[in-house]
Structure formats: C-alpha cells, structure tokens
Amino acid sequence: MLQKIFATGLVMACTLPAFAQTTETTATTASTTSTESVAAPPEEKKPLITLSGSADVYYRYDFNKQSGNNRTSFTNTHNSFALGMASIKAEHKGDKVGVVIDLGFGPRAKEFSYADEGIMQSVKQLYVSYAPADWIKFTAGTWATHVGYELVDPQLNRNYSMSYMFTNGPFHHTGLKAELSRGKSGFMIGIANATDYRVPPSDMINRKFLLAQYSLAASDNVKFYLNYAGGKNPDTSKTSQFDLVATAKINDVFSLGYNGTVNTTQVWDGSKNADGKSWWGSALYINVDPKAWFGLTLRTEYFSDKNQFKIPTGIDDGASVFATTLSANFKAGGLTIIPEFRLDNASEEVFIDANFNPKKSTGSFLLAAVYSF
C-alpha cells in the first residue's frame, strides 16, 4: 500500500510542473496572438513638399549698339553677358490646405518686384490656400498675375525676351481670391491691392482692385481664358484691363498661342477722372516641335500706344510697334539653350542708332541658357 501511495505521488509531482508550464505557455501565446490581432493605428499622411527652381543667363547684342532700344522687360543690355534670375520654389500640400513660397534673386526678380525694396524684391509669390471641396479653393497672399500669356519664369516661356503686353501689364497681385470649377469651365474672382503693390504706398490713396477670370477647356487641346483687372491706382487714375488668352495644340508638332489685351485708363485732371484713353496689343505664337530636343517659336506682336501711356515719342502722335521674334529651343535634360533674333518696327522714331540718330526700327540677337529642375 505504501508503495502505491509513493508511486502515485511521484507521478503527480512529475506531472504538475509539466501542466503548469503548458498553461503558462498557452497564456503567453494567447496574449501574443491577442496583441498581434489588434490593427496598428494608421500612420498620419504627411503633406508633400515639392521643390523646384531655375537659373538663367544670357548675352544680348543690339544691332544699333544701344541698350535703350530694348523696351521690354528683363533684357536691358547691349554686348554684355548678364544674369537673369535664380529661383527656388517650395510647395507644401495637404488634403485641403497648402502653401507656396516662390523666391527669386537677380535682375529679373528685382525688375519683377519693382514696387518693393530690399528683401521683399526676392518674393515672387507667397500664398496660402484652402480647398474645402474639390470644386472650390481660396487663396490669400501674393501671386503672379492671371493676365497675359507670358510668365516671369524663363523656363515657362519659349521666347526669352518678353512681349510689350507682358511688360506693360500687371506683374503680380496681393490679396484674396476664390477659384471655382464646374465641368469644363473655371471661374476666379478676387480683391487685391493696386497692381504690383504688396504694400500700398502710405502717401497715396489706397483703393482695391477687382480681379476676375473665366476659363473654358473646349477640348483637351483647345483652351480659352478671359481675364480682367481693374481699379483705382495710387496716383488716383482708374484702370480697366480686359485680356484674352487662347491655346491650341494641332498635333504633336504644331501648336498655337494667342494673347490680346486692351487697357483703358482715366487720368486724374485735378478734380475728377477724365475720359478713358487706351493702349492695346495682340500677339500670335506659332510653335513647331519636330524633335523632343528641338523646337521653334515665332512670336508676332502688334502694340498700339497712340496716347503715349507706355512709349513716349516727344511729338503729338503716339507710336505703334510691330515686333517679330524667332526663338529656337535646344533641350538637353533640364537645360534649354535659346538663340533668338528680334526685329522691332515702330510707326515713329522711338529708337536710336549708334550715333544717337532717331530710327523707326531696331534689331537684336540674344543667346540664353536656362536650367530648371
């Protein structure tokens, strides 16, 4: 009997530790399985930051050997190598909000921000945006104008020298705008400081400008933009500008661009704004791209300033100018080489030759290098 009790106890002593170990392992396994089955919290989607930029240099030779014959923006040199602009642009986008910081350094940026001083001249664009739905967006800050075909960044143009319409139209706006889209149509309406003023001058009147745009994508290859900017300037004159831009892609080789604009200004006569007088322009851009690395653009522009708002003549009659510009684009990666010939013919003697004699025409050759990333 004692032997049976001893044997039974020995068996139980050997069995209990094994049972306890099995139970502990099972509990641990269950705990691990339970932990792994709980889904990890989703990672928060961080807004994307996009960096882009450009740098450009050029050489220009005026056939009349006078830098003053250049009457458009950014190329006021003769027989000189010159810097254009170094730009850096950062975009931070979330699901509904975003910010753009676009800075430029050099003569081109300084001329673009001519109404500013110091470090403010390096700010091309700086704005925040909020899109509560995919069909509407609000933007506040300073941004490049919607008026016109050409842009301040050289890599976004096919001609390096600028048109008369770009030079004499608005460059940028500072204010608030709303953009709406519906089907193939887009609408923009905004209110801003006077054209090109980020800070209204303290010693002049401070009125706001109305901005508007209607866009239509008639097809994937044909688009129209009807633009407006108008208001009372710091010098008390009133300005209204209507502008039309159209683009058309005919095929993989040929495409067209068009820009037409009319600006009406009512100057202050001492007691009221006088009757409006206008200047206007029209330009056609013909683009040919036979190769991915090579393209040609012919720009023909007619600019009429009979009231001498933009081109003083020194006589009673104002001038009109017909300018023809042929530019080639040679591309290698992010680099574009642009050789360009330009001829400007005026109705009056608004140019001068090497001996300072007045002339009705002038010509120039330009070679530019533009790198963008």
Side-chain angles (χ1 to χ4, degrees):
M1 184 67 178
L2 290 173
Q3 290 179 341
K4 290 183 178 181
I5 294 174
F6 178 79
T8 302
L10 182 61
V11 171
M12 291 180 65
C14 294
T15 305
L16 285 173
F19 176 77
Q21 182 180 2
T22 303
T23 304
E24 182 179 353
T25 303
T26 303
T28 302
T29 304
S31 175
T32 302
T33 305
S34 175
T35 301
E36 291 178 349
S37 65
V38 177
E43 292 186 7
E44 182 180 354
K45 186 178 179 181
K46 295 182 179 180
L48 298 177
I49 299 177
T50 303
L51 292 176
S52 59
S54 67
D56 63 285
V57 297
Y58 73 95
Y59 170 85
R60 181 179 180 272
Y61 188 90
D62 186 88
F63 296 146
N64 285 318
K65 301 181 180 180
Q66 298 284 354
S67 61
N69 283 331
N70 176 75
R71 291 182 173 271
T72 59
S73 299
F74 310 145
T75 50
N76 302 310
T77 60
H78 160 63
N79 193 23
S80 176
F81 293 97
L83 301 178
M85 177 173 64
S87 291
I88 186 70
K89 182 179 181 180
E91 299 179 72
H92 191 256
K93 293 184 178 180
D95 291 336
K96 295 184 177 182
V97 298
V99 63
V100 169
I101 303 171
D102 188 4
L103 305 178
F105 305 90
R108 194 179 185 105
K110 184 176 180 180
E111 193 171 339
F112 181 71
S113 301
Y114 66 91
D116 297 302
E117 296 181 356
I119 193 66
M120 283 293 291
Q121 290 188 322
S122 66
V123 178
K124 291 191 294 171
Q125 301 185 101
L126 196 163
Y127 58 83
V128 295
S129 60
Y130 172 60
D134 57 4
W135 57 272
I136 185 169
K137 182 172 72 171
F138 298 95
T139 300
T142 182
W143 60 86
T145 186
H146 58 293
V147 175
Y149 181 88
E150 298 176 9
L151 301 168
V152 62
D153 295 293
Q155 73 274 17
L156 302 179
N157 303 317
R158 294 175 61 107
N159 301 111
Y160 187 81
S161 68
M162 308 305 290
S163 68
Y164 284 86
M165 285 183 288
F166 174 90
T167 300
N168 296 294
F171 283 174
H172 51 78
H173 307 285
T174 300
L176 173 67
K177 65 178 179 177
E179 298 170 89
L180 303 90
S181 60
R182 183 177 179 85
K184 296 182 178 181
S185 296
F187 306 88
M188 184 276 287
I189 188 165
I191 185 170
N193 295 337
T195 292
D196 296 342
Y197 282 96
R198 297 195 173 108
V199 179
S202 59
D203 57 344
M204 305 176 81
I205 66 170
N206 179 9
R207 301 290 176 84
K208 295 297 176 275
F209 266 50
L210 175 66
L211 312 176
Q213 180 184 72
Y214 170 70
S215 60
L216 173 65
S219 69
D220 291 340
N221 296 327
V222 179
K223 297 178 173 62
F224 299 93
Y225 305 86
L226 180 61
N227 309 305
Y228 173 79
K232 198 160 191 175
N233 298 299
D235 64 0
T236 71
S237 63
K238 289 183 178 180
T239 295
S240 292
Q241 183 167 351
F242 290 92
D243 181 88
L244 174 65
V245 173
T247 62
K249 181 180 178 181
I250 299 172
N251 52 41
D252 291 339
V253 176
F254 295 97
S255 62
L256 300 173
Y258 172 78
N259 184 203
T261 199
V262 57
N263 179 297
T264 301
T265 298
Q266 297 173 271
V267 298
W268 184 257
D269 67 4
S271 59
K272 66 181 187 306
N273 288 102
D275 294 338
K277 296 182 178 180
S278 301
W279 60 262
W280 62 275
S282 184
L284 179 65
Y285 302 78
I286 303 173
N287 307 312
V288 182
D289 295 291
K291 300 291 183 179
W293 55 268
F294 173 70
L296 288 170
T297 292
L298 177 67
R299 176 182 63 202
T300 58
E301 180 187 19
Y302 183 82
F303 185 80
S304 176
D305 187 30
K306 293 299 185 180
N307 295 298
Q308 302 192 52
F309 283 117
K310 303 299 180 181
I311 305 177
T313 63
I315 58 177
D316 292 338
D317 293 332
S320 60
V321 180
F322 183 77
T324 303
T325 307
L326 179 62
S327 305
N329 284 212
F330 296 91
K331 300 179 181 180
L335 177 65
T336 302
I337 303 296
I338 307 175
E340 178 176 290
F341 288 94
R342 176 170 178 152
L343 181 63
D344 292 43
N345 291 288
S347 60
E348 305 294 338
E349 295 177 332
V350 298
F351 305 109
I352 55 176
D353 65 14
N355 297 316
F356 297 95
N357 298 312
K359 294 191 64 176
K360 288 187 175 181
S361 65
T362 191
S364 64
F365 169 75
L366 183 150
L367 180 65
V370 181
Y371 185 85
S372 61
F373 59 91

